[in-house]
Amino acid sequence: MSNKLKVGFIGLGIMGQSMAGHLLAAGHPLNVFNRSKAKTNDLVAKGAKWFDTIGDLAAESDVIITMVGYPSDVEQVYFGAGNILDRAKNAYLIDMTTSSPSLAKRIAEEAEKRGCHSLDAPVSGGDIGARNAKLSIMVGGKQADFDAVLPVLKIMGTNVVLQGGPGAGQHTKMCNQIVIAGTIMGVAEGLGYAKSVGLNPETVMESIGGGAASGFQLLNLGAKMIVGDYAPGFYVEHFLKDLGIALEEADKVKLELPALALAKKLYEELVAKGCSRDGTQVIYTRYIK
Amino acid sequence: MSNKLKVGFIGLGIMGQSMAGHLLAAGHPLNVFNRSKAKTNDLVAKGAKWFDTIGDLAAESDVIITMVGYPSDVEQVYFGAGNILDRAKNAYLIDMTTSSPSLAKRIAEEAEKRGCHSLDAPVSGGDIGARNAKLSIMVGGKQADFDAVLPVLKIMGTNVVLQGGPGAGQHTKMCNQIVIAGTIMGVAEGLGYAKSVGLNPETVMESIGGGAASGFQLLNLGAKMIVGDYAPGFYVEHFLKDLGIALEEADKVKLELPALALAKKLYEELVAKGCSRDGTQVIYTRYIK
């Protein structure tokens, strides 16, 4: 039998499947649960153990990783009767969902009362980063707990940084999303302007793609905008969730973020137009006829 | 005597001095004029010829380059009585100031009537790009005129692209500034949020500096924000000028750019607080206590 930590993984979407697969490949016994069982088939075929309930999985795992959709899902899997906090025993609880910093603090307080160790550890890098085990993992929690699970996190990511106490990982992810919110508006407006005044956006990219306007959003999502490719790298509805969390947290510290508020409004308008499941670059459509 | 094109250079600020210096070093006879004569002393010492009036300089130059401050300055040096358009003879007129696309078209029309060749050719890359002759030069005008002066432009820049007819160079520069406007708001808000919620912005940069939020503004100006360095790489007052031009041009094609409009408002507030001569990264101060 392996002496490696037994990992329970809850939430096997596109990213979760890749991340859990790396843990399994690295020799960790893997327990899995997902709302839609079919998504765990590949992992089970490779040796993962399926559990019918989150509680049973939690009771038999040393480390419990959650990678679900919304803060409401996180709340449910942690606080729902018979779920993680009711059943985990002296375990490391790692929420890798992008979720609310305030909720992360609540989980940490409750976990401590029950003798568990909690970390919030959202990621960036998307499905490609997950597939290549090159995620950036932003962690909030206690140093000792971070140290204990760092070898596990390093199986999934190349840039694993402890940012502070409980909630600091989520706060850091919010910083990332806030920067992106302003940037993607700028990219969409700049390229939309190009098109509106009769320039060739591809030629414009030759001039501006290497200078002070340049960055991941311009080079990657800008390139998709100008060819009309709105396939999701990151869903509008998930981005909007993040923007909402960030605005709520900013309100709590009485910080006004007008560009973030504007981005939230524009993405809400896109959702109203049926763009929830498009990629975030669909904001470009606002600026073209 | 050199058989190289005789270049007249008007506007020898920090960037103009570097650019003109490269032309001189490449063997072009150089005529210079500047409102403040002292700024041409170094060039004159190296062989440039000073002219007391723009008109006299224009009359004796094959190529006339302008690199002045505002569209009103451009208008004055081109259309003012006895200035460029009154005196230039069959010359190539290249306005490298970041200025209005509509004004560029007006200059091109008037130049054509008088048998001159006009190009708008604003740059990006800042004083460092000018010093290292690595500017990105965005050009609007006729292909034949572009071809004729391309060897001259390549002495100052590494990325010289014809973007379309008259005004297209200025429009492309506007695209660049519009992207930056959104991006720098995002960077300032993300890092301001970090500080407000108690994170260490330098540690946050470790997590977010290499991913989807990354780019020139975050890595360069973000790094200055978090150490409180507001020394100008690019002046607030010049950026605000550009944002104003871009908004005006967008209005002309009935394109609404709410993020650009917001950036203009925030930078106007900074000017009202006395930040005109700070660098654009001073927008960060809005988000910290």
Side-chain angles (χ1 to χ4, degrees):
Chain A
M1 206 171 142
S2 171
N3 60 357
K4 293 215 177 196
L5 291 168
K6 204 182 291 178
V7 180
F9 208 112
I10 297 161
L12 286 309
I14 292 175
M15 292 186 67
Q17 285 179 49
S18 293
M19 293 156 72
H22 296 310
L23 297 172
L24 195 59
H28 284 281
L30 184 71
N31 300 328
V32 292
F33 175 88
N34 194 56
R35 264 195 308 220
S36 154
K37 187 176 178 178
K39 291 190 179 166
T40 67
N41 287 350
D42 284 355
L43 291 164
V44 169
K46 290 178 188 158
K49 183 174 175 192
W50 166 260
F51 282 77
D52 281 323
T53 73
I54 290 170
D56 289 346
L57 175 145
E60 293 195 29
S61 302
D62 305 312
V63 174
I64 300 157
I65 294 175
T66 47
M67 186 70 179
V68 295
Y70 290 83
S72 56
D73 301 314
V74 174
E75 202 165 353
Q76 172 62 26
V77 299
Y78 278 91
F79 292 100
N83 279 343
I84 297 175
L85 286 167
D86 268 1
R87 302 284 307 279
K89 294 166 198 149
N90 192 32
Y92 291 89
L93 316 180
I94 311 177
D95 183 28
M96 302 188 78
T97 317
T98 294
S99 174
S100 142
S102 300
L103 178 55
K105 285 179 209 165
R106 231 182 97 204
I107 293 171
E109 282 163 20
E110 195 62 28
E112 186 159 10
K113 282 185 204 160
R114 303 186 187 214
C116 283
H117 313 270
S118 158
L119 295 156
D120 49 297
V123 305
S124 73
D127 50 346
I128 295 168
R131 193 157 63 236
N132 298 329
K134 288 192 172 166
L135 293 168
S136 173
I137 306 179
M138 302 156 242
V139 189
K142 293 181 182 166
Q143 182 75 51
D145 296 340
F146 176 77
D147 294 342
V149 301
L150 184 58
V152 174
L153 295 175
K154 282 201 162 165
I155 294 167
M156 300 176 283
T158 41
N159 187 26
V160 186
V161 180
L162 181 64
Q163 291 285 350
Q170 297 295 353
H171 273 313
T172 302
K173 180 68 186 281
M174 290 303 120
C175 296
N176 190 69
Q177 304 305 74
I178 295 166
V179 175
I180 290 174
T183 305
I184 199 164
M185 287 193 297
V187 168
E189 295 200 353
L191 296 176
Y193 173 95
K195 189 152 177 147
S196 296
V197 298
L199 297 174
N200 177 344
E202 307 218 12
T203 315
V204 169
M205 286 286 262
E206 284 178 43
S207 280
I208 75 172
S214 192
F216 183 98
Q217 295 293 315
L218 181 66
L219 297 178
N220 291 275
L221 299 190
K224 290 185 180 185
M225 290 175 190
I226 64 187
V227 297
D229 173 6
Y230 307 122
F234 190 55
Y235 290 124
V236 163
E237 62 185 3
H238 289 162
F239 193 45
L240 191 52
K241 166 197 76 165
D242 298 352
L243 303 188
I245 295 170
L247 264 183
E248 266 179 34
E249 296 288 333
D251 279 349
K252 286 182 189 171
V253 293
K254 307 215 180 306
L255 177 67
E256 198 201 349
L257 298 177
L260 175 63
L262 175 62
K264 181 163 174 278
K265 176 174 162 282
L266 299 184
Y267 276 101
E268 281 167 350
E269 290 171 12
L270 287 163
V271 165
K273 285 182 186 162
C275 301
S276 302
R277 302 288 283 176
D278 288 322
T280 51
Q281 70 274 21
V282 76
I283 190 173
Y284 180 60
T285 57
R286 184 194 165 89
Y287 301 103
I288 54 174
K289 305 283 148 78
Chain B
M1 202 167 148
S2 171
N3 60 357
K4 293 217 177 194
L5 292 169
K6 204 182 291 177
V7 181
F9 208 112
I10 297 162
L12 285 309
I14 291 175
M15 292 186 66
Q17 285 179 48
S18 293
M19 292 156 72
H22 296 309
L23 298 171
L24 195 59
H28 284 281
L30 184 70
N31 299 329
V32 293
F33 174 87
N34 195 57
R35 263 194 309 219
S36 155
K37 186 176 179 179
K39 291 189 179 168
T40 67
N41 287 349
D42 284 355
L43 291 164
V44 169
K46 290 178 190 158
K49 184 174 174 192
W50 166 261
F51 281 77
D52 280 325
T53 73
I54 290 170
D56 289 345
L57 175 144
E60 294 195 30
S61 301
D62 305 313
V63 174
I64 299 157
I65 294 176
T66 46
M67 185 69 180
V68 295
Y70 290 83
S72 56
D73 301 314
V74 174
E75 200 164 356
Q76 173 61 24
V77 300
Y78 277 91
F79 293 99
N83 279 343
I84 297 175
L85 286 167
D86 268 1
R87 302 283 306 279
K89 296 167 197 148
N90 192 31
Y92 291 90
L93 316 180
I94 311 176
D95 183 28
M96 303 188 78
T97 317
T98 294
S99 174
S100 141
S102 299
L103 178 56
K105 285 179 208 164
R106 233 182 96 205
I107 292 171
E109 282 163 19
E110 195 61 30
E112 186 158 12
K113 283 185 204 160
R114 304 189 185 211
C116 284
H117 313 269
S118 157
L119 295 156
D120 48 297
V123 305
S124 73
D127 50 347
I128 295 168
R131 194 158 61 235
N132 299 329
K134 289 192 172 165
L135 293 169
S136 172
I137 306 180
M138 303 156 240
V139 189
K142 293 182 182 167
Q143 182 75 51
D145 296 339
F146 176 77
D147 294 342
V149 300
L150 185 56
V152 174
L153 296 175
K154 282 200 162 165
I155 294 167
M156 299 177 282
T158 41
N159 186 27
V160 186
V161 181
L162 182 64
Q163 291 285 350
Q170 296 295 355
H171 272 315
T172 302
K173 180 67 187 280
M174 290 303 122
C175 296
N176 190 68
Q177 305 305 73
I178 295 167
V179 175
I180 290 174
T183 306
I184 198 165
M185 288 193 295
V187 168
E189 295 200 352
L191 295 177
Y193 174 95
K195 189 150 175 147
S196 296
V197 299
L199 297 174
N200 177 344
E202 306 219 10
T203 315
V204 169
M205 287 285 265
E206 284 178 43
S207 281
I208 75 173
S214 193
F216 182 97
Q217 296 292 315
L218 181 66
L219 297 180
N220 291 274
L221 299 190
K224 289 184 181 184
M225 290 175 190
I226 63 186
V227 297
D229 173 6
Y230 306 122
F234 189 54
Y235 290 124
V236 163
E237 62 185 4
H238 289 162
F239 192 46
L240 191 52
K241 166 196 76 167
D242 299 352
L243 303 188
I245 294 169
L247 263 183
E248 266 179 33
E249 296 289 331
D251 278 350
K252 286 181 188 169
V253 293
K254 306 215 181 305
L255 176 67
E256 198 203 349
L257 298 176
L260 176 62
L262 176 62
K264 182 160 174 279
K265 176 174 162 282
L266 298 185
Y267 276 102
E268 281 166 349
E269 290 172 9
L270 287 164
V271 165
K273 284 184 187 161
C275 301
S276 302
R277 302 288 284 176
D278 288 321
T280 51
Q281 71 275 20
V282 75
I283 190 174
Y284 179 60
T285 57
R286 187 195 161 88
Y287 301 104
I288 54 174
K289 305 285 149 77

